[in-house]
Amino acid sequence: MTAADQLSTSHGKIVDNIVHFARTLRKAGMPAEPSSVVDAVQAVEVAGITNREDLYWTLHAVFVRKREHRVLFDEAFRIYWQSRGLIEKMLAILSPVAPPRANPEKPKAGQTRVSQAFQSAKDRVSEHTRPEVEVDAKFTVSGKELLQAKDFAQMTVEELETAKQALRSLSLTMDTVRQRRLTPSPRGRIDPRRTLKASMRAGGDIIDLKFRKPQEKRPPLIALCDISGSMSQYSRLLLHFLHGITEQRRDVHTFLFGTRLTNVTRQLRMKDPDEALEACGAGVEDWSGGTRIATALHEFNRVWSRRVLSGGPTVLLITDGLERDTDEDLEREMDRLHRSCRRLIWLNPLLRFEGFQAKAKGIRAMLPHVDEFRAAHSLNAVEDLVSVLSKDGATSFRSDPNWWLKRAD
C-alpha cells in the first residue's frame, strides 16, 4: 500500500490529529492559525506519509516561521507524535506519566510550555468525567486577586507559571527626557533658518513661520540583578519581566551579579523566554552563591558605565542588600553609580515583611544613594514599579529612602 493510500484510508484521523497538534502549538505560544491548519493538511496530502522525518519537515515548513519557533515545534512534535502508529497519537497524550529516572535530563527550552499545553488538552478531554460542585463565592476572594498579592516564594508551580506569563506581558512606557537638540514642530520656538528658506521659495513675499522644539527621548533602562542564594527565586521571575521589556525595546541592558558580574543582555534578546533564561543560566557561574555587591558595582562602574550609562538612564538595582563583606567601598561605589544615572531605584524583596527595618550595615550604606526604595516580591509590586516608571502612578512616603533611615534610628 502506498503512502497516498494510507493517507486516504485514515484521512479523518490524520486531519483530527493535525488540528489537535495545531491547537497545542497555539497554546504553547506559536501563531498556528486556522489557515495554517488547512495548509498543513494539504501539504500532508501532497507529500504523503512515508516516515516520521517526512511528516516532521512537512509540518515544520508550514508552522515554523521564525527561529524562536523551532524549539517549541521540535519539543511539541517529539511529545505528540511519539507513538509509531498514526491513529494512536491521542492515547499517548492521555497515558500516565512514567516514573522519573535516576539521573533525569535537564529540561529543554520550551518544554514547560509544551507540557502545559498537553496537560490542558488532557484536562479538557476528561472534563465530562468530573463531578459538578457548586461553590458559594459570596465571601471569597478571587484567585486572580490572591495571586497578584502573593509572594513569589510562596507560589506553587502552576502559580509561578501564571506569574511568569503575567510578568512577560507587562508593558513599560517610560517617561521621556528632553534633550538639547531641536526638532521641527508645529508649535514652539521660531526656527529662523527654516522660516527664511520657506519665504525664499515664495519669492520673499510671504513669511511662513516654522517652529522647532527640543527632542524627547526615552531614557535607557539598566538592570543590576542579584542572583545570590537569598535572591535566586525572585531573580528568576524578574528576569521574565526584563525579558518582556527587552523584547519591546532595544535600549535595555541587564547584568547579573553574585560574586562576579555577568552581562546577559544578549541572552535576553532571544525571542523565546525559556531559551533566553536557559542561556542566562548557562552563562552564569555563580548562581545561588554568595553576594559581593561592592565588588560587582566596582566592576560595573569601571568597565560598563561609560558604555551603557549614556543618555540619562534609569537603573534598577535588584538585591536584598545583604552584603558578605561590608566596608566603605560599597558606599563609594553606590555614590558613583548614583551620580552616573538619572534615576536609581532599589528593588528589595525584604520589604514584603511588615516589620522590616533598615538596620543592616549594607542596607544603611546603600540607602542614601538611591532615589526610590521599593518592593519586588509580587505581581502587584512589579505593576506598581511599571506605573511609576511610566509616570502613571504616584510615589508614596514608603518609597522614600530617607523615611526608612529615620525609621531605623
Side-chain angles (χ1 to χ4, degrees), residues 18 22 26 31-43 62-63 65:
I18 292 177
R26 193 180 305 117
E33 60 273 5
S35 59
S36 299
V37 179
V38 176
D39 294 339
V41 174
Q42 293 177 353
V62 176
F63 291 113
R65 302 175 183 175

Side-chain angles (χ1 to χ4, degrees), residues 79-346:
I79 298 176
Y80 193 90
W81 307 91
Q82 59 185 344
S83 57
R84 293 185 178 180
L86 293 177
I87 301 179
E88 293 81 13
K89 288 183 289 294
M90 289 302 295
L91 297 178
I93 303 175
L94 303 178
S95 61
V97 180
R101 293 178 292 179
N103 296 321
E105 297 180 356
K106 184 179 180 181
K108 300 179 181 179
Q111 184 172 358
T112 302
R113 282 187 288 163
V114 173
S115 301
Q116 287 180 345
F118 279 108
Q119 183 63 32
S120 62
K122 177 180 177 180
D123 295 340
R124 186 172 60 252
V125 172
S126 59
E127 252 182 4
H128 65 279
T129 62
R130 299 178 182 175
E132 294 184 359
V133 180
E134 294 184 0
V135 179
D136 186 7
K138 187 181 300 183
F139 301 102
T140 61
V141 183
S142 66
K144 183 178 179 180
E145 293 178 354
L146 290 175
L147 184 62
Q148 290 288 116
K150 195 169 185 179
D151 192 339
F152 290 147
Q154 299 176 352
M155 289 184 178
T156 62
V157 177
E158 293 78 9
E159 291 173 342
L160 286 175
E161 293 301 325
T162 305
K164 291 176 183 178
Q165 296 177 4
L167 289 173
R168 287 195 294 264
S169 63
L170 290 177
S171 177
L172 181 62
T173 55
M174 296 180 63
D175 57 309
T176 57
V177 178
R178 179 172 293 185
Q179 297 182 323
R180 294 182 179 179
R181 181 171 295 183
L182 302 177
T183 183
S185 174
R187 297 179 182 179
R189 305 177 186 175
I190 296 178
D191 189 346
R193 179 178 297 180
R194 294 178 59 241
T195 300
L196 182 59
K197 287 184 177 180
S199 62
M200 292 299 294
R201 293 191 191 99
D205 297 333
I206 301 176
I207 300 178
D208 185 12
L209 293 179
K210 303 295 181 181
F211 301 92
R212 60 184 179 176
K213 67 176 183 178
Q215 288 184 354
E216 292 185 350
K217 180 182 178 181
R218 293 185 304 181
L221 182 67
I222 313 299
L224 299 172
C225 191
D226 188 351
I227 55 172
S228 60
S230 58
M231 284 288 300
S232 59
Q233 188 166 6
Y234 296 97
S235 300
R236 292 182 186 275
L237 285 170
L238 291 175
L239 280 177
H240 284 271
F241 167 63
L242 294 173
H243 176 268
I245 298 177
T246 306
E247 190 176 7
Q248 299 170 10
R249 302 172 48 180
R250 302 297 297 179
D251 53 350
V252 179
H253 300 272
T254 304
F255 297 83
L256 304 181
F257 68 90
T259 57
R260 66 188 70 183
L261 185 71
T262 306
N263 186 1
V264 294
T265 303
R266 181 175 298 178
Q267 288 85 335
L268 287 181
R269 285 176 180 169
M270 296 180 177
K271 295 296 183 179
D272 185 81
D274 295 328
E275 187 179 3
L277 265 69
E278 184 180 1
C280 290
V284 176
E285 300 179 0
D286 55 343
W287 202 293
S288 299
T291 312
R292 292 179 180 174
I293 303 177
T295 304
L297 292 182
H298 174 71
E299 183 178 355
F300 177 81
N301 291 329
R302 182 177 60 89
V303 179
W304 295 100
S305 60
R306 292 186 179 181
R307 305 183 190 183
V308 299
L309 291 183
S310 59
T314 298
V315 177
L316 300 180
L317 180 59
I318 308 171
T319 179
D320 52 12
L322 302 180
E323 170 68 294
R324 174 187 291 182
D325 302 322
T326 304
D327 50 22
E328 63 277 2
D329 293 340
L330 178 59
E331 186 173 358
R332 181 172 61 252
E333 297 300 336
M334 282 293 300
D335 179 65
R336 181 178 175 182
L337 177 63
H338 189 207
R339 293 174 182 270
S340 302
C341 63
R342 184 178 68 96
R343 194 176 181 188
L344 179 56
I345 302 177
W346 183 3

